Amino acid sequence: MTTPTPHNSAKSGEIANTVLMPGDPMRAKYIAENFIENPRLVNNVRGIQGYTGTWKNTEVTVMASGMGIPSIGIYSWELFNSYDVDNIIRIGTAGAISDELELNDVIFALGACTDSNFMNQFKLPGAFAPICDYKLLKAAERAASRLGIEPVVGNILSTDVFHADDPADTDAWRKMGVLAVEMEAAGLYANAARSGKRALAICTVSDHLYRPEKLSPEEREKSLTQMINIALDTAVMIEGETK
Ligand code: HPA
């Protein structure tokens, strides 16, 4: 598919090789306005704001994914295949299900299980294991370490259902050591794999599904700042390594 696409009005060349993807378009705007130098709005179709600018002299784009695998599926596919983007770093929030996790913890999603049917399109003769890119993961670990942040690295669940009819649906995933629940990473990882590109999902724990804990708006802002800094520094490192 050529550019612009039905969902993205950016012309080719207007999107950087590495894209940070928060779910929320207002978060994309916030990052553009508070972190990125010389941000230019390159997409606003359906309010899915995308900005391109620089961070530490490296060009980056921050563009929203919307919520859920179908939404990130559309945008990530077009970024990888129409805009020739090499790296997508999702930055989002997740609800913890593991007892080991605390609010504000930063998770690097090594793998992303899913209850979605998204993988069926690939007609695999078994179950696909959606995993992050190792190079991006290593770069993110280095970036976090320099910022004095220790991430929790492991498996997450990308679910299609936020308001589950039966809240006990996560019990079985919890028994398998899955750390937390969000709604996008598995679709992003599958599209990266199919496109021969790189992806990593970084999530901040915003609430706990088994304890009555939730970040306040001020705490949310502060912890998201940590994650945004890690992701932006990771973009610089991966661009330096793969040029
Ligand atoms: N479910 C799905 N996604 C989420 C949650 C949740 O409980 N919390 C933050 N993102």
Side-chain angles (χ1 to χ4, degrees):
M1 189 186 284
T2 53
T3 61
T5 73
H7 315 101
N8 196 329
S9 57
K11 300 189 200 74
S12 50
E14 287 188 322
I15 297 211
N17 193 43
T18 298
V19 179
L20 265 60
M21 293 201 100
D24 181 356
M26 293 314 290
R27 186 68 56 191
K29 185 170 191 276
Y30 170 83
I31 296 168
E33 287 174 352
N34 294 283
F35 293 81
I36 306 282
E37 272 176 53
N38 303 318
R40 284 179 297 122
L41 183 69
V42 293
N43 181 46
N44 201 11
V45 177
R46 291 179 183 244
I48 291 289
Q49 300 179 42
Y51 296 84
T52 299
T54 59
W55 171 258
K56 299 182 180 170
N57 296 319
T58 295
E59 188 179 62
V60 290
T61 294
V62 52
M63 184 175 120
S65 68
M67 285 186 282
I69 288 177
S71 188
I72 200 165
I74 292 169
Y75 297 110
S76 64
W77 193 93
E78 293 179 4
L79 289 170
F80 284 140
N81 295 290
S82 298
Y83 291 93
D84 211 19
V85 163
D86 280 332
N87 313 298
I88 298 181
I89 304 170
R90 162 166 157 68
I91 42 177
T93 54
I97 56 174
S98 160
D99 288 335
E100 310 299 316
L101 285 175
E102 307 285 342
L103 294 184
N104 283 315
D105 278 350
V106 176
I107 301 172
F108 290 173
L110 193 58
C113 311
T114 190
D115 54 22
S116 161
N117 277 332
F118 190 76
M119 307 308 159
N120 287 7
Q121 64 174 311
F122 301 113
K123 301 189 172 59
L124 297 161
F128 179 69
I131 54 168
C132 72
D133 176 77
Y134 187 53
K135 251 194 171 127
L136 269 181
L137 178 69
K138 281 195 296 182
E141 278 225 288
R142 258 181 293 130
S145 154
R146 284 185 197 175
L147 293 163
I149 300 158
E150 188 158 348
V152 184
V153 185
N155 220 345
I156 62 169
L157 169 66
S158 301
T159 184
D160 273 353
V161 185
F162 186 91
H163 297 293
D165 196 42
D166 182 354
D169 279 356
T170 44
D171 290 358
W173 297 107
R174 192 166 130 97
K175 281 192 229 160
M176 292 301 284
V178 172
L179 299 169
V181 186
E182 52 81 84
M183 304 187 75
E184 292 83 16
L188 172 63
Y189 287 2
N191 272 353
R194 181 67 183 87
S195 311
K197 304 290 178 97
R198 298 190 186 86
L200 173 67
I202 305 178
C203 293
T204 298
V205 175
S206 59
D207 52 293
H208 203 294
L209 274 60
Y210 292 80
R211 299 198 298 259
E213 297 171 11
K214 200 172 155 186
L215 289 185
S216 68
E218 303 80 59
E219 290 168 328
R220 221 179 150 95
E221 173 110 14
K222 185 159 169 282
S223 63
L224 292 174
T225 297
Q226 289 192 324
M227 176 172 65
I228 293 163
N229 275 305
I230 296 172
L232 286 167
D233 286 354
T234 303
V236 175
M237 285 182 192
I238 198 74
E239 285 300 319
E241 279 172 25
T242 56
K243 245 178 199 149

